[in-house]
Amino acid sequence: MDQKFSTFVKKLLFLLILISILHSSKPANLVTLKTMICALISNGKPICSRIKAPRKDPSCYHSSSKIVSCQQQNPKNNTIKNSVCKYWRRPKPHLINPPHKNNKNGVFEEKNGSLQKGCQEMLVLCGFGYWINGFRCFPWLGLNFHMASNLGLQPSVLQMVQNSGNLPMVAKPLYGILSDALYIGGAHRMPYILVGVFLQILSWGSLALIPVASEALPILLASVLLSNLGASIAEVAKDALVAEYGQKNKMPGLQSYAFMALAAGGILGNLLGGFFLLRAQQPKSMFLSFAALLTLQLGITFAIREECLGLPQMSNYSFASFRKQYSDLLVATREQSIYRPLLWVVASIMTVPILSGSIFCYQMQCLNLDPSVIGMSKVTGQLMLLAMTLMYNRIWRNVPMRKLIGVVQILYASSLLLDLILVKQVNIMWGIPNEAFALCFSGVADTLAQFKLLPFHVLFASLAPPGCEGSLMSFVASALCLSSIASGFLGVGFASAIGITSGDHSMLPAGIIIQFLAALLPLLWINQVPLTHPSAEKERMKGMSRRTRRYRRVGRVGIGSIYSYRREREPDFQR
């Protein structure tokens, strides 16, 4: 009798507590219902009181809300049998779609929309900026034609002007450290791009509108230095922007996209450059047209705000931050995974004496090739560069880096012999005119030399420490530029030593053969290049890590009546 009365009291208290909780305005109290029921009903046969607590989202509190109560777990216990498992309907019209300020879905959609907008702006800024960088061959083709034809410069002087104009690019590490450490108006990438574009407008506009600037060699050289100073500042900021944005948003293909935009600009620049020189033969109009395009780039860059790209914003600056950035750069360049491939690519460029000025004058003065043919040969090379960049992004990215670089270096050395065929007029014996041969094969060596740098750019961009993207990428660009300048000056001295002049090109074949042999030398220390690319290795290990979590049963070993399974990881077999 006492047991029945105790059970009745417990059931009554249970119902009263349930009713009071359901009528209360705090849905969180439903969570405590489970604990209270288990405390009341403790007769050794526990009830599975699973109560689905409502979500915190206010949209779940509608006028007809279902509350699932407990069910009996033990069928033998008939004391409580489907007593509370019912639907409790309770209208609350004031809770239907309640207004709330912190809508998580809205915040997520707004954040997602801002990320998409930032990605679009980044693609426009990166694409057009690198396209302009590739289109720089358009005014430079007119400038080379102007110096060779109108000013009558010797091949050595022409090549000296070309390489001396690249001296501002040697100071790229300084621009990179400033871009990483010094924030201008809370931004540290866009202001430097704006400054670099403005300096280029000033330089090419002066060459186009001021007659003495294009006639006097010292003023012309000063304008070229100013143009390359602006171009180097803008390139450093863009390279750092691409590396920083690509690392933050997991976009490793952004470097390939930049190279494709660069190649597309080079294609159109060489194509239009040859057309301008063939029709008008007025280099000043080419300078003015390029200055107008730079003005358009200035407007596009000014319209994009850096905070829309999701980059960190800072306003405080001190000399300590500059010193810290410099020390971080030193630490990064001392990493074995960075300085070894950098030394290889720098040495592979410096060991080859460049004879571009001598070959350009030979094509213009001895073979009498039209400027349009020379421009179209550059177009062919840029088309090849674009196709090779696409192939690298699709297929060759997974090829071991050392193998890829070795093949490209051998192809580059072999392509230098194509100039020997043109100089010895072997193509005429094969029935190929000089124009057709120069159009198809004259720019192959330059194309392979540019493509060889793409895997290294991707490598260094992936290895750049956070906050040191601009410093490291500018240091890499400066080292590559310095090696190109050294190669150019080496070519000038080499041409003078063997007696190559504007009127005597008899020793040009011997110079090309020495070029070919020098281009094969870097293969002796190609072990400095990493065997595989870190990003490809990371993707491979990521794919393998899923399999390493699964263990395979290799065999069953019997010891008496006890059987144990021996399990091993899959990488033990694959490595």
Side-chain angles (χ1 to χ4, degrees):
M1 188 68 180
D2 293 337
Q3 185 178 2
K4 292 183 179 180
F5 180 78
S6 176
T7 303
F8 174 78
V9 171
K10 289 180 180 180
K11 292 169 63 176
L12 182 61
L13 289 175
F14 171 74
L15 291 174
L16 290 175
I17 292 171
L18 178 62
I19 293 171
S20 64
I21 290 176
L22 292 177
H23 277 280
S24 64
S25 59
K26 297 181 179 179
N29 289 335
L30 291 173
V31 182
T32 63
L33 182 59
K34 176 180 177 180
T35 306
M36 299 180 69
I37 292 173
C38 294
L40 289 173
I41 307 173
S42 58
N43 54 355
K45 307 273 187 181
I47 296 177
C48 178
S49 56
R50 186 183 65 177
I51 299 177
K52 293 184 179 180
R55 293 173 296 176
K56 294 182 179 181
D57 191 358
S59 61
C60 67
Y61 305 123
H62 299 288
S63 59
S64 59
S65 60
K66 296 181 180 180
I67 301 178
V68 182
S69 180
C70 61
Q71 292 182 354
Q72 186 176 354
Q73 181 183 14
N74 192 353
K76 296 181 180 180
N77 188 5
N78 297 323
T79 58
I80 300 176
K81 190 175 183 180
N82 297 330
S83 58
V84 199
C85 298
K86 297 179 181 179
Y87 291 98
W88 188 276
R89 300 182 181 272
R90 179 165 159 247
K92 287 187 179 181
H94 61 279
L95 290 179
I96 298 177
N97 296 326
H100 50 278
K101 296 181 180 179
N102 297 325
N103 189 356
K104 295 183 179 179
N105 294 330
V107 173
F108 176 76
E109 291 176 359
E110 182 179 357
K111 185 177 180 180
N112 191 18
S114 63
L115 288 176
Q116 282 187 346
K117 183 180 178 182
C119 182
Q120 292 175 359
E121 291 181 347
M122 179 62 192
L123 292 178
V124 171
L125 179 67
C126 173
F128 191 73
Y130 278 93
W131 183 87
I132 285 290
N133 192 20
F135 198 77
R136 290 182 68 225
C137 62
F138 174 75
W140 266 101
L141 184 62
L143 185 61
N144 290 334
F145 179 81
H146 174 70
M147 290 188 294
S149 298
N150 298 338
L151 300 183
L153 298 181
Q154 294 291 329
S156 58
V157 179
L158 175 63
Q159 192 164 340
M160 285 285 292
V161 172
Q162 292 175 346
N163 291 278
S164 300
N166 292 327
L167 287 176
M169 296 187 176
V170 179
K172 279 186 174 183
L174 176 62
Y175 316 143
I177 293 175
L178 288 174
S179 177
D180 285 338
L182 180 59
Y183 286 71
I184 302 175
H188 68 144
R189 303 300 184 205
M190 295 300 183
Y192 294 93
I193 297 178
L194 291 173
V195 171
V197 174
F198 178 75
L199 292 179
Q200 293 182 77
I201 294 174
L202 188 62
S203 172
W204 292 109
S206 300
L207 289 175
L209 301 177
I210 302 176
V212 69
S214 59
E215 299 298 333
L217 185 60
I219 303 178
L220 186 145
L221 182 59
S223 299
V224 169
L225 289 171
L226 184 62
S227 172
N228 286 339
L229 174 63
S232 59
I233 294 175
E235 286 175 9
V236 165
K238 284 183 293 186
D239 290 342
L241 185 63
V242 168
E244 186 176 5
Y245 191 87
Q247 281 189 356
K248 182 178 180 181
N249 296 277
K250 303 296 186 296
M251 297 174 62
L254 201 57
Q255 282 80 18
S256 300
Y257 171 73
F259 257 74
M260 286 188 284
L262 186 72
I267 292 170
L268 189 60
N270 286 301
L271 183 62
L272 293 180
F275 176 78
F276 265 71
L277 291 177
L278 181 63
R279 296 291 181 181
Q281 294 186 357
Q282 292 294 330
K284 292 184 179 181
S285 61
M286 302 172 66
F287 305 155
L288 187 60
S289 301
F290 186 66
L293 286 175
L294 289 171
T295 306
L296 178 60
Q297 183 189 9
L298 186 70
I300 293 175
T301 307
F302 189 78
I304 298 176
R305 301 179 62 86
E306 190 165 314
E307 57 265 21
C308 296
L309 303 178
L311 300 181
Q313 302 294 311
M314 291 181 61
S315 57
N316 298 329
Y317 169 74
S318 62
F319 185 72
S321 62
F322 185 86
R323 292 181 59 185
K324 180 181 180 301
Q325 204 67 41
Y326 177 73
S327 62
D328 291 343
L329 176 61
L330 291 180
V331 172
T333 52
R334 288 171 184 171
E335 290 290 333
Q336 186 176 3
S337 59
I338 293 178
Y339 77 81
R340 290 182 63 182
L342 182 59
L343 287 177
W344 186 90
V345 68
V346 167
S348 68
I349 297 173
M350 292 182 63
T351 53
V352 182
I354 297 299
L355 301 175
S356 58
S358 301
I359 294 176
F360 180 79
C361 292
Y362 178 80
Q363 292 176 348
M364 292 285 297
Q365 297 172 0
C366 297
L367 299 182
N368 296 321
L369 296 180
D370 291 334
S372 59
V373 175
I374 299 176
M376 287 299 296
S377 66
K378 303 294 184 181
V379 172
T380 305
Q382 294 297 324
L383 284 173
M384 290 179 58
L385 179 61
L386 180 60
M388 294 173 71
T389 305
L390 289 172
M391 292 295 294
Y392 174 80
N393 198 28
R394 296 274 184 176
I395 302 173
W396 297 340
R397 190 184 184 91
N398 299 323
V399 177
M401 186 173 179
R402 187 181 300 175
K403 179 180 178 181
L404 178 64
I405 295 300
V407 172
V408 172
Q409 187 67 23
I410 293 174
L411 292 176
Y412 169 69
S414 303
S415 64
L416 293 173
L417 297 177
L418 295 174
D419 292 328
L420 180 63
I421 295 176
L422 187 63
V423 171
K424 300 296 289 185
Q425 293 292 283
V426 179
N427 56 294
I428 299 296
M429 302 178 186
W430 295 345
I432 303 175
N434 292 329
E435 290 80 5
F437 190 86
L439 180 64
C440 297
F441 303 107
S442 182
V444 174
D446 293 337
T447 300
L448 292 172
Q450 292 182 48
F451 175 76
K452 184 179 68 174
L453 303 180
L454 175 59
F456 290 97
H457 276 284
V458 177
L459 172 67
F460 296 131
S462 62
L463 296 177
C468 196
E469 296 88 354
S471 304
L472 181 61
M473 296 306 294
S474 61
F475 180 79
V476 171
S478 174
L480 296 177
C481 181
L482 183 61
S483 61
S484 299
I485 293 174
S487 176
F489 282 119
L490 179 63
V492 172
F494 176 68
S496 300
I498 63 177
I500 299 176
T501 60
S502 59
D504 186 10
H505 294 89
S506 58
M507 294 300 295
L508 188 57
I512 294 174
I513 294 176
I514 295 175
Q515 263 190 321
F516 166 73
L517 297 176
L520 294 176
L521 287 178
L523 296 174
L524 299 177
W525 58 85
I526 199 172
N527 57 344
Q528 302 296 321
V529 179
L531 184 61
T532 58
H533 196 279
S535 61
E537 181 69 16
K538 185 177 179 180
E539 292 177 0
R540 187 181 70 87
M541 293 300 296
K542 183 179 179 181
M544 291 178 62
S545 64
R546 298 175 182 175
R547 297 193 297 268
T548 56
R549 296 190 185 99
R550 306 192 197 104
Y551 291 88
R552 293 192 305 183
R553 293 182 177 179
V554 179
R556 192 173 66 168
V557 182
I559 304 176
S561 60
I562 301 174
Y563 291 91
S564 62
Y565 288 93
R566 179 165 55 93
R567 300 181 179 184
E568 295 185 9
R569 299 179 183 268
E570 285 189 1
D572 297 336
F573 299 101
Q574 296 176 359
R575 293 179 182 177

